[in-house]
Amino acid sequence: MENQNSKTNTASGTTERRKRIFSAIQPSGQMTLGNYLGAIRNWVDMQDEFDCIFATANLHAITVRQDPKKLRENTVNLFALLIASGVDPEKSIFFHQSMVPAHAELSWVLSTFTQFGELSRMTQFKDKSARHADNINAGLFTYPSLMAADILLYQADMVPVGDDQRQHLELTRDIAERFNGIYGKTFVVPEPYIKRNAARVRNLLDPSKKMSKSDPNTKSFILMVDEPATIMKKFRSAVTDSEACVRYAEGKDGINNLMEIYSACTGKSYEQIEDEFRGKGYGDFKTAVGEAVVAVLEPIQIRYRELLSDRKHLDEVAAKGAEAAARIAARTIEKVYKKVGLMR
Ligand code: TRP
């Protein structure tokens, strides 16, 4: 799988290695429309251009207490949802993080090249330890070393990251450079990949906030698995403004958000959208946005349900991905253990 994917024929007839991407998503429950338009769809698009390795980050998930049955279920559901969205196991390597032990092995080594002070400065650690004050475990603290291991294990050239993970990627780069500085070139130092096709989807009731499934009001977010009727209803209750004019402008955060979503789902520019709804009310616009979102999500939901009906097949796909990932990971572990002086 790796060889078939890793070479690109260039115009001059030479072959060059395709850039490698690594990314992972935690199986922490339902995915929202924001996750889809901001990240998942980007994964799907990257597959044709890059050598992609994707995982469910289930080892990261246990840094907050999980119900075992629920975690397993969430992990399989996420795997199926991503495949239903277009992550193609024939094009990319896709697996569950826990299935490749090298993640945990490299994470341990890298944790000895990560400073207490650096980890203490991670804003996500500060946020999460405030939110889970009764369980500030060591794994929550060393989480960025595991993330660095995920990335460096595969010698990834690029990592698509949102704002919340930028600091972790920066630390990954520092760890890679530090290790390379001591032992000679061992790791590729990964660059952030700026997403080309990513929408920033806001909370439908309070567009000053990001859309998040943890918001107490379920009308503020769209889940990827929401029923079409629910999606329509949620858009109907989305906040707008009193101008009654569909145009993208400062101070119109609610309408701007709906325009962003509509644009992301239809490919139309803001200008085209303004033309389309000139003289029409917000009611018409909201209906159109809801319909556009349903048109994107419904086919995914159908494939998702199909995939989940064959659990054995999903397990086989993950096992195949894990095998391919483990082969690449083994080469890095081999090198690292040798350099550090650990026997294998
Ligand atoms: N920590 C990431 C998140 O919560 C998920 C993740 C784990 C990840 N390993 C990664 C993302 C490696 C990019 C690269 O969103």
PDB file of all heavy atoms in Angstrom, residues 22-26 28 43 55-58 60 97 103 124 128 143 146-151 158-162 164-165 168-169 172, ligand 1:
ATOM      1  N   PHE A  22       0.291  13.003   8.505  1.00  0.00           N
ATOM      2  CA  PHE A  22      -0.320  12.215   9.574  1.00  0.00           C
ATOM      3  C   PHE A  22      -1.384  13.062  10.268  1.00  0.00           C
ATOM      4  O   PHE A  22      -1.180  14.251  10.527  1.00  0.00           O
ATOM      5  CB  PHE A  22       0.701  11.753  10.626  1.00  0.00           C
ATOM      6  CG  PHE A  22       0.044  10.904  11.695  1.00  0.00           C
ATOM      7  CD1 PHE A  22      -0.051   9.533  11.545  1.00  0.00           C
ATOM      8  CD2 PHE A  22      -0.546  11.494  12.819  1.00  0.00           C
ATOM      9  CE1 PHE A  22      -0.722   8.750  12.488  1.00  0.00           C
ATOM     10  CE2 PHE A  22      -1.220  10.723  13.767  1.00  0.00           C
ATOM     11  CZ  PHE A  22      -1.304   9.340  13.600  1.00  0.00           C
ATOM     12  N   SER A  23      -2.517  12.428  10.580  1.00  0.00           N
ATOM     13  CA  SER A  23      -3.488  13.099  11.430  1.00  0.00           C
ATOM     14  C   SER A  23      -4.334  12.070  12.179  1.00  0.00           C
ATOM     15  O   SER A  23      -4.426  10.911  11.783  1.00  0.00           O
ATOM     16  CB  SER A  23      -4.378  14.024  10.611  1.00  0.00           C
ATOM     17  OG  SER A  23      -5.052  14.917  11.493  1.00  0.00           O
ATOM     18  N   ALA A  24      -4.917  12.510  13.264  1.00  0.00           N
ATOM     19  CA  ALA A  24      -5.738  11.619  14.079  1.00  0.00           C
ATOM     20  C   ALA A  24      -6.864  12.421  14.715  1.00  0.00           C
ATOM     21  O   ALA A  24      -6.757  13.629  14.888  1.00  0.00           O
ATOM     22  CB  ALA A  24      -4.887  10.961  15.165  1.00  0.00           C
ATOM     23  N   ILE A  25      -7.949  11.717  15.034  1.00  0.00           N
ATOM     24  CA  ILE A  25      -9.079  12.350  15.727  1.00  0.00           C
ATOM     25  C   ILE A  25      -9.435  11.482  16.931  1.00  0.00           C
ATOM     26  O   ILE A  25      -9.457  10.255  16.831  1.00  0.00           O
ATOM     27  CB  ILE A  25     -10.315  12.493  14.806  1.00  0.00           C
ATOM     28  CG1 ILE A  25      -9.992  13.374  13.588  1.00  0.00           C
ATOM     29  CG2 ILE A  25     -11.491  13.093  15.583  1.00  0.00           C
ATOM     30  CD1 ILE A  25     -11.176  13.628  12.661  1.00  0.00           C
ATOM     31  N   GLN A  26      -9.692  12.118  18.052  1.00  0.00           N
ATOM     32  CA  GLN A  26     -10.074  11.367  19.236  1.00  0.00           C
ATOM     33  C   GLN A  26     -11.513  10.873  19.141  1.00  0.00           C
ATOM     34  O   GLN A  26     -12.400  11.633  18.757  1.00  0.00           O
ATOM     35  CB  GLN A  26      -9.975  12.266  20.467  1.00  0.00           C
ATOM     36  CG  GLN A  26      -8.572  12.519  20.894  1.00  0.00           C
ATOM     37  CD  GLN A  26      -8.539  13.068  22.306  1.00  0.00           C
ATOM     38  OE1 GLN A  26      -9.071  12.458  23.228  1.00  0.00           O
ATOM     39  NE2 GLN A  26      -7.927  14.212  22.465  1.00  0.00           N
ATOM     40  N   SER A  28     -14.219  10.783  20.851  1.00  0.00           N
ATOM     41  CA  SER A  28     -14.821  11.277  22.093  1.00  0.00           C
ATOM     42  C   SER A  28     -16.290  11.599  21.901  1.00  0.00           C
ATOM     43  O   SER A  28     -16.796  12.588  22.393  1.00  0.00           O
ATOM     44  CB  SER A  28     -14.044  12.496  22.593  1.00  0.00           C
ATOM     45  OG  SER A  28     -13.911  13.434  21.559  1.00  0.00           O
ATOM     46  N   TRP A  43      -9.337  15.884   5.182  1.00  0.00           N
ATOM     47  CA  TRP A  43      -8.639  14.588   5.113  1.00  0.00           C
ATOM     48  C   TRP A  43      -8.949  13.913   3.789  1.00  0.00           C
ATOM     49  O   TRP A  43      -8.073  13.389   3.113  1.00  0.00           O
ATOM     50  CB  TRP A  43      -9.129  13.637   6.226  1.00  0.00           C
ATOM     51  CG  TRP A  43      -8.581  13.872   7.593  1.00  0.00           C
ATOM     52  CD1 TRP A  43      -8.054  15.019   8.106  1.00  0.00           C
ATOM     53  CD2 TRP A  43      -8.536  12.894   8.656  1.00  0.00           C
ATOM     54  NE1 TRP A  43      -7.705  14.820   9.424  1.00  0.00           N
ATOM     55  CE2 TRP A  43      -7.983  13.532   9.766  1.00  0.00           C
ATOM     56  CE3 TRP A  43      -8.924  11.558   8.744  1.00  0.00           C
ATOM     57  CZ2 TRP A  43      -7.795  12.872  10.982  1.00  0.00           C
ATOM     58  CZ3 TRP A  43      -8.731  10.894   9.949  1.00  0.00           C
ATOM     59  CH2 TRP A  43      -8.166  11.547  11.052  1.00  0.00           C
ATOM     60  N   ALA A  55      -5.487   8.018  11.901  1.00  0.00           N
ATOM     61  CA  ALA A  55      -5.814   7.107  13.001  1.00  0.00           C
ATOM     62  C   ALA A  55      -6.925   7.667  13.874  1.00  0.00           C
ATOM     63  O   ALA A  55      -7.149   8.878  13.916  1.00  0.00           O
ATOM     64  CB  ALA A  55      -4.567   6.870  13.855  1.00  0.00           C
ATOM     65  N   THR A  56      -7.593   6.764  14.565  1.00  0.00           N
ATOM     66  CA  THR A  56      -8.439   7.204  15.671  1.00  0.00           C
ATOM     67  C   THR A  56      -7.500   7.265  16.881  1.00  0.00           C
ATOM     68  O   THR A  56      -6.733   6.332  17.121  1.00  0.00           O
ATOM     69  CB  THR A  56      -9.582   6.205  15.967  1.00  0.00           C
ATOM     70  OG1 THR A  56      -9.020   4.966  16.387  1.00  0.00           O
ATOM     71  CG2 THR A  56     -10.461   5.984  14.748  1.00  0.00           C
ATOM     72  N   ALA A  57      -7.527   8.368  17.603  1.00  0.00           N
ATOM     73  CA  ALA A  57      -6.578   8.550  18.714  1.00  0.00           C
ATOM     74  C   ALA A  57      -7.192   8.021  20.014  1.00  0.00           C
ATOM     75  O   ALA A  57      -7.486   8.776  20.937  1.00  0.00           O
ATOM     76  CB  ALA A  57      -6.186  10.019  18.828  1.00  0.00           C
ATOM     77  N   ASN A  58      -7.348   6.702  20.077  1.00  0.00           N
ATOM     78  CA  ASN A  58      -8.008   6.148  21.268  1.00  0.00           C
ATOM     79  C   ASN A  58      -7.099   6.127  22.492  1.00  0.00           C
ATOM     80  O   ASN A  58      -7.589   6.132  23.623  1.00  0.00           O
ATOM     81  CB  ASN A  58      -8.650   4.781  20.969  1.00  0.00           C
ATOM     82  CG  ASN A  58      -7.692   3.764  20.409  1.00  0.00           C
ATOM     83  OD1 ASN A  58      -6.559   4.090  20.080  1.00  0.00           O
ATOM     84  ND2 ASN A  58      -8.148   2.529  20.277  1.00  0.00           N
ATOM     85  N   HIS A  60      -5.130   8.587  23.236  1.00  0.00           N
ATOM     86  CA  HIS A  60      -5.318   9.935  23.782  1.00  0.00           C
ATOM     87  C   HIS A  60      -6.633  10.034  24.561  1.00  0.00           C
ATOM     88  O   HIS A  60      -6.731  10.747  25.553  1.00  0.00           O
ATOM     89  CB  HIS A  60      -5.309  10.982  22.665  1.00  0.00           C
ATOM     90  CG  HIS A  60      -3.929  11.365  22.223  1.00  0.00           C
ATOM     91  ND1 HIS A  60      -3.330  10.850  21.100  1.00  0.00           N
ATOM     92  CD2 HIS A  60      -3.027  12.200  22.775  1.00  0.00           C
ATOM     93  CE1 HIS A  60      -2.110  11.354  20.975  1.00  0.00           C
ATOM     94  NE2 HIS A  60      -1.908  12.191  21.977  1.00  0.00           N
ATOM     95  N   GLN A  97      -5.118   3.811  16.796  1.00  0.00           N
ATOM     96  CA  GLN A  97      -3.817   4.067  17.430  1.00  0.00           C
ATOM     97  C   GLN A  97      -3.389   2.914  18.344  1.00  0.00           C
ATOM     98  O   GLN A  97      -2.226   2.505  18.333  1.00  0.00           O
ATOM     99  CB  GLN A  97      -3.950   5.365  18.234  1.00  0.00           C
ATOM    100  CG  GLN A  97      -2.702   5.947  18.808  1.00  0.00           C
ATOM    101  CD  GLN A  97      -3.055   7.171  19.677  1.00  0.00           C
ATOM    102  OE1 GLN A  97      -4.178   7.253  20.217  1.00  0.00           O
ATOM    103  NE2 GLN A  97      -2.142   8.118  19.809  1.00  0.00           N
ATOM    104  N   HIS A 103       3.343   3.330  18.988  1.00  0.00           N
ATOM    105  CA  HIS A 103       2.937   4.668  19.461  1.00  0.00           C
ATOM    106  C   HIS A 103       3.283   4.831  20.940  1.00  0.00           C
ATOM    107  O   HIS A 103       3.830   5.846  21.360  1.00  0.00           O
ATOM    108  CB  HIS A 103       1.434   4.899  19.247  1.00  0.00           C
ATOM    109  CG  HIS A 103       1.071   5.086  17.814  1.00  0.00           C
ATOM    110  ND1 HIS A 103       0.764   6.299  17.271  1.00  0.00           N
ATOM    111  CD2 HIS A 103       0.995   4.192  16.804  1.00  0.00           C
ATOM    112  CE1 HIS A 103       0.499   6.157  15.977  1.00  0.00           C
ATOM    113  NE2 HIS A 103       0.630   4.883  15.677  1.00  0.00           N
ATOM    114  N   GLN A 124      -3.885  23.483  26.388  1.00  0.00           N
ATOM    115  CA  GLN A 124      -4.902  22.447  26.479  1.00  0.00           C
ATOM    116  C   GLN A 124      -4.808  21.703  27.818  1.00  0.00           C
ATOM    117  O   GLN A 124      -5.826  21.351  28.408  1.00  0.00           O
ATOM    118  CB  GLN A 124      -4.790  21.444  25.319  1.00  0.00           C
ATOM    119  CG  GLN A 124      -5.991  20.545  25.232  1.00  0.00           C
ATOM    120  CD  GLN A 124      -5.922  19.589  24.058  1.00  0.00           C
ATOM    121  OE1 GLN A 124      -5.247  18.571  24.097  1.00  0.00           O
ATOM    122  NE2 GLN A 124      -6.630  19.930  22.993  1.00  0.00           N
ATOM    123  N   LYS A 128      -7.847  21.482  30.332  1.00  0.00           N
ATOM    124  CA  LYS A 128      -8.403  20.185  30.700  1.00  0.00           C
ATOM    125  C   LYS A 128      -8.228  19.885  32.173  1.00  0.00           C
ATOM    126  O   LYS A 128      -9.094  19.254  32.788  1.00  0.00           O
ATOM    127  CB  LYS A 128      -7.783  19.061  29.859  1.00  0.00           C
ATOM    128  CG  LYS A 128      -8.318  19.004  28.451  1.00  0.00           C
ATOM    129  CD  LYS A 128      -8.032  17.662  27.807  1.00  0.00           C
ATOM    130  CE  LYS A 128      -8.535  17.660  26.369  1.00  0.00           C
ATOM    131  NZ  LYS A 128      -8.107  16.456  25.630  1.00  0.00           N
ATOM    132  N   TYR A 143       0.387  13.955  27.367  1.00  0.00           N
ATOM    133  CA  TYR A 143      -0.382  13.831  26.118  1.00  0.00           C
ATOM    134  C   TYR A 143       0.384  14.346  24.889  1.00  0.00           C
ATOM    135  O   TYR A 143       0.417  13.683  23.850  1.00  0.00           O
ATOM    136  CB  TYR A 143      -1.682  14.580  26.382  1.00  0.00           C
ATOM    137  CG  TYR A 143      -2.699  14.790  25.323  1.00  0.00           C
ATOM    138  CD1 TYR A 143      -3.985  14.279  25.490  1.00  0.00           C
ATOM    139  CD2 TYR A 143      -2.437  15.559  24.194  1.00  0.00           C
ATOM    140  CE1 TYR A 143      -4.974  14.511  24.555  1.00  0.00           C
ATOM    141  CE2 TYR A 143      -3.422  15.780  23.253  1.00  0.00           C
ATOM    142  CZ  TYR A 143      -4.687  15.263  23.439  1.00  0.00           C
ATOM    143  OH  TYR A 143      -5.662  15.498  22.507  1.00  0.00           O
ATOM    144  N   LEU A 146       2.853  11.854  23.432  1.00  0.00           N
ATOM    145  CA  LEU A 146       2.193  10.797  22.649  1.00  0.00           C
ATOM    146  C   LEU A 146       1.829  11.326  21.269  1.00  0.00           C
ATOM    147  O   LEU A 146       1.997  10.642  20.262  1.00  0.00           O
ATOM    148  CB  LEU A 146       0.939  10.296  23.392  1.00  0.00           C
ATOM    149  CG  LEU A 146       0.092   9.245  22.653  1.00  0.00           C
ATOM    150  CD1 LEU A 146       0.896   7.988  22.317  1.00  0.00           C
ATOM    151  CD2 LEU A 146      -1.134   8.859  23.497  1.00  0.00           C
ATOM    152  N   MET A 147       1.363  12.552  21.231  1.00  0.00           N
ATOM    153  CA  MET A 147       1.022  13.138  19.935  1.00  0.00           C
ATOM    154  C   MET A 147       2.277  13.308  19.068  1.00  0.00           C
ATOM    155  O   MET A 147       2.259  13.057  17.858  1.00  0.00           O
ATOM    156  CB  MET A 147       0.308  14.476  20.148  1.00  0.00           C
ATOM    157  CG  MET A 147      -0.192  15.064  18.863  1.00  0.00           C
ATOM    158  SD  MET A 147      -1.480  16.291  19.178  1.00  0.00           S
ATOM    159  CE  MET A 147      -1.214  17.353  17.759  1.00  0.00           C
ATOM    160  N   ALA A 148       3.371  13.695  19.700  1.00  0.00           N
ATOM    161  CA  ALA A 148       4.646  13.808  18.970  1.00  0.00           C
ATOM    162  C   ALA A 148       5.043  12.436  18.430  1.00  0.00           C
ATOM    163  O   ALA A 148       5.492  12.310  17.282  1.00  0.00           O
ATOM    164  CB  ALA A 148       5.732  14.364  19.892  1.00  0.00           C
ATOM    165  N   ALA A 149       4.847  11.395  19.235  1.00  0.00           N
ATOM    166  CA  ALA A 149       5.180  10.042  18.786  1.00  0.00           C
ATOM    167  C   ALA A 149       4.338   9.653  17.569  1.00  0.00           C
ATOM    168  O   ALA A 149       4.851   9.093  16.597  1.00  0.00           O
ATOM    169  CB  ALA A 149       4.966   9.038  19.918  1.00  0.00           C
ATOM    170  N   ASP A 150       3.038   9.966  17.608  1.00  0.00           N
ATOM    171  CA  ASP A 150       2.148   9.654  16.478  1.00  0.00           C
ATOM    172  C   ASP A 150       2.734  10.198  15.174  1.00  0.00           C
ATOM    173  O   ASP A 150       2.739   9.531  14.143  1.00  0.00           O
ATOM    174  CB  ASP A 150       0.775  10.334  16.646  1.00  0.00           C
ATOM    175  CG  ASP A 150      -0.006   9.830  17.841  1.00  0.00           C
ATOM    176  OD1 ASP A 150       0.329   8.749  18.371  1.00  0.00           O
ATOM    177  OD2 ASP A 150      -0.962  10.534  18.252  1.00  0.00           O
ATOM    178  N   ILE A 151       3.179  11.424  15.260  1.00  0.00           N
ATOM    179  CA  ILE A 151       3.614  12.140  14.059  1.00  0.00           C
ATOM    180  C   ILE A 151       5.016  11.694  13.626  1.00  0.00           C
ATOM    181  O   ILE A 151       5.260  11.374  12.468  1.00  0.00           O
ATOM    182  CB  ILE A 151       3.596  13.660  14.329  1.00  0.00           C
ATOM    183  CG1 ILE A 151       2.166  14.119  14.631  1.00  0.00           C
ATOM    184  CG2 ILE A 151       4.198  14.430  13.163  1.00  0.00           C
ATOM    185  CD1 ILE A 151       2.076  15.500  15.292  1.00  0.00           C
ATOM    186  N   MET A 158       3.988  16.702   7.043  1.00  0.00           N
ATOM    187  CA  MET A 158       3.002  17.729   7.363  1.00  0.00           C
ATOM    188  C   MET A 158       1.871  17.179   8.220  1.00  0.00           C
ATOM    189  O   MET A 158       1.517  16.011   8.102  1.00  0.00           O
ATOM    190  CB  MET A 158       2.404  18.292   6.067  1.00  0.00           C
ATOM    191  CG  MET A 158       3.410  19.094   5.261  1.00  0.00           C
ATOM    192  SD  MET A 158       2.663  19.835   3.809  1.00  0.00           S
ATOM    193  CE  MET A 158       2.122  18.415   2.931  1.00  0.00           C
ATOM    194  N   VAL A 159       1.336  18.076   9.035  1.00  0.00           N
ATOM    195  CA  VAL A 159       0.196  17.712   9.876  1.00  0.00           C
ATOM    196  C   VAL A 159      -0.863  18.806   9.736  1.00  0.00           C
ATOM    197  O   VAL A 159      -0.575  19.977   9.993  1.00  0.00           O
ATOM    198  CB  VAL A 159       0.623  17.603  11.366  1.00  0.00           C
ATOM    199  CG1 VAL A 159      -0.557  17.210  12.242  1.00  0.00           C
ATOM    200  CG2 VAL A 159       1.763  16.607  11.528  1.00  0.00           C
ATOM    201  N   PRO A 160      -2.069  18.448   9.302  1.00  0.00           N
ATOM    202  CA  PRO A 160      -3.122  19.460   9.236  1.00  0.00           C
ATOM    203  C   PRO A 160      -3.626  19.731  10.656  1.00  0.00           C
ATOM    204  O   PRO A 160      -4.066  18.809  11.332  1.00  0.00           O
ATOM    205  CB  PRO A 160      -4.220  18.790   8.392  1.00  0.00           C
ATOM    206  CG  PRO A 160      -4.001  17.317   8.563  1.00  0.00           C
ATOM    207  CD  PRO A 160      -2.555  17.108   8.900  1.00  0.00           C
ATOM    208  N   VAL A 161      -3.500  20.949  11.107  1.00  0.00           N
ATOM    209  CA  VAL A 161      -3.917  21.225  12.479  1.00  0.00           C
ATOM    210  C   VAL A 161      -4.824  22.433  12.577  1.00  0.00           C
ATOM    211  O   VAL A 161      -4.668  23.407  11.853  1.00  0.00           O
ATOM    212  CB  VAL A 161      -2.719  21.485  13.437  1.00  0.00           C
ATOM    213  CG1 VAL A 161      -2.102  20.200  13.905  1.00  0.00           C
ATOM    214  CG2 VAL A 161      -1.700  22.397  12.820  1.00  0.00           C
ATOM    215  N   GLY A 162      -5.751  22.346  13.485  1.00  0.00           N
ATOM    216  CA  GLY A 162      -6.559  23.507  13.829  1.00  0.00           C
ATOM    217  C   GLY A 162      -5.843  24.289  14.921  1.00  0.00           C
ATOM    218  O   GLY A 162      -4.796  23.866  15.423  1.00  0.00           O
ATOM    219  N   ASP A 164      -6.417  24.673  17.970  1.00  0.00           N
ATOM    220  CA  ASP A 164      -6.276  24.018  19.276  1.00  0.00           C
ATOM    221  C   ASP A 164      -5.081  23.063  19.345  1.00  0.00           C
ATOM    222  O   ASP A 164      -4.648  22.713  20.437  1.00  0.00           O
ATOM    223  CB  ASP A 164      -7.579  23.294  19.653  1.00  0.00           C
ATOM    224  CG  ASP A 164      -7.969  22.243  18.630  1.00  0.00           C
ATOM    225  OD1 ASP A 164      -7.653  22.423  17.435  1.00  0.00           O
ATOM    226  OD2 ASP A 164      -8.590  21.237  19.012  1.00  0.00           O
ATOM    227  N   GLN A 165      -4.581  22.626  18.193  1.00  0.00           N
ATOM    228  CA  GLN A 165      -3.457  21.671  18.219  1.00  0.00           C
ATOM    229  C   GLN A 165      -2.133  22.296  17.767  1.00  0.00           C
ATOM    230  O   GLN A 165      -1.115  21.616  17.700  1.00  0.00           O
ATOM    231  CB  GLN A 165      -3.775  20.454  17.347  1.00  0.00           C
ATOM    232  CG  GLN A 165      -4.985  19.662  17.815  1.00  0.00           C
ATOM    233  CD  GLN A 165      -4.817  19.128  19.222  1.00  0.00           C
ATOM    234  OE1 GLN A 165      -3.749  18.633  19.598  1.00  0.00           O
ATOM    235  NE2 GLN A 165      -5.850  19.257  20.046  1.00  0.00           N
ATOM    236  N   HIS A 168       0.716  21.998  20.222  1.00  0.00           N
ATOM    237  CA  HIS A 168       1.239  20.635  20.327  1.00  0.00           C
ATOM    238  C   HIS A 168       2.162  20.297  19.160  1.00  0.00           C
ATOM    239  O   HIS A 168       3.163  19.595  19.315  1.00  0.00           O
ATOM    240  CB  HIS A 168       0.093  19.623  20.376  1.00  0.00           C
ATOM    241  CG  HIS A 168      -0.711  19.700  21.644  1.00  0.00           C
ATOM    242  ND1 HIS A 168      -2.005  19.233  21.734  1.00  0.00           N
ATOM    243  CD2 HIS A 168      -0.408  20.192  22.866  1.00  0.00           C
ATOM    244  CE1 HIS A 168      -2.454  19.425  22.961  1.00  0.00           C
ATOM    245  NE2 HIS A 168      -1.509  20.026  23.665  1.00  0.00           N
ATOM    246  N   LEU A 169       1.820  20.806  17.987  1.00  0.00           N
ATOM    247  CA  LEU A 169       2.674  20.547  16.821  1.00  0.00           C
ATOM    248  C   LEU A 169       4.001  21.297  16.970  1.00  0.00           C
ATOM    249  O   LEU A 169       5.063  20.773  16.627  1.00  0.00           O
ATOM    250  CB  LEU A 169       1.965  20.953  15.524  1.00  0.00           C
ATOM    251  CG  LEU A 169       2.767  20.662  14.251  1.00  0.00           C
ATOM    252  CD1 LEU A 169       3.075  19.175  14.115  1.00  0.00           C
ATOM    253  CD2 LEU A 169       2.023  21.151  13.007  1.00  0.00           C
ATOM    254  N   THR A 172       6.062  19.281  19.140  1.00  0.00           N
ATOM    255  CA  THR A 172       6.545  18.111  18.382  1.00  0.00           C
ATOM    256  C   THR A 172       7.797  18.484  17.588  1.00  0.00           C
ATOM    257  O   THR A 172       8.779  17.734  17.567  1.00  0.00           O
ATOM    258  CB  THR A 172       5.437  17.607  17.415  1.00  0.00           C
ATOM    259  OG1 THR A 172       4.299  17.232  18.176  1.00  0.00           O
ATOM    260  CG2 THR A 172       5.922  16.427  16.601  1.00  0.00           C
TER     261      THR A 172
HETATM  262  N1  TRP B   1      -4.741  15.565  19.930  1.00  0.00           N
HETATM  263  C1  TRP B   1      -5.509  15.640  18.726  1.00  0.00           C
HETATM  264  C2  TRP B   1      -6.893  16.230  19.027  1.00  0.00           C
HETATM  265  O1  TRP B   1      -7.393  16.086  20.110  1.00  0.00           O
HETATM  266  C3  TRP B   1      -5.677  14.292  18.090  1.00  0.00           C
HETATM  267  C4  TRP B   1      -4.358  13.762  17.694  1.00  0.00           C
HETATM  268  C5  TRP B   1      -3.680  12.760  18.279  1.00  0.00           C
HETATM  269  C6  TRP B   1      -3.555  14.220  16.603  1.00  0.00           C
HETATM  270  N2  TRP B   1      -2.497  12.522  17.636  1.00  0.00           N
HETATM  271  C7  TRP B   1      -2.398  13.401  16.625  1.00  0.00           C
HETATM  272  C8  TRP B   1      -3.704  15.224  15.643  1.00  0.00           C
HETATM  273  C9  TRP B   1      -1.369  13.612  15.698  1.00  0.00           C
HETATM  274  C10 TRP B   1      -2.688  15.412  14.715  1.00  0.00           C
HETATM  275  C11 TRP B   1      -1.525  14.602  14.755  1.00  0.00           C
HETATM  276  O2  TRP B   1      -7.483  16.817  18.145  1.00  0.00           O
END
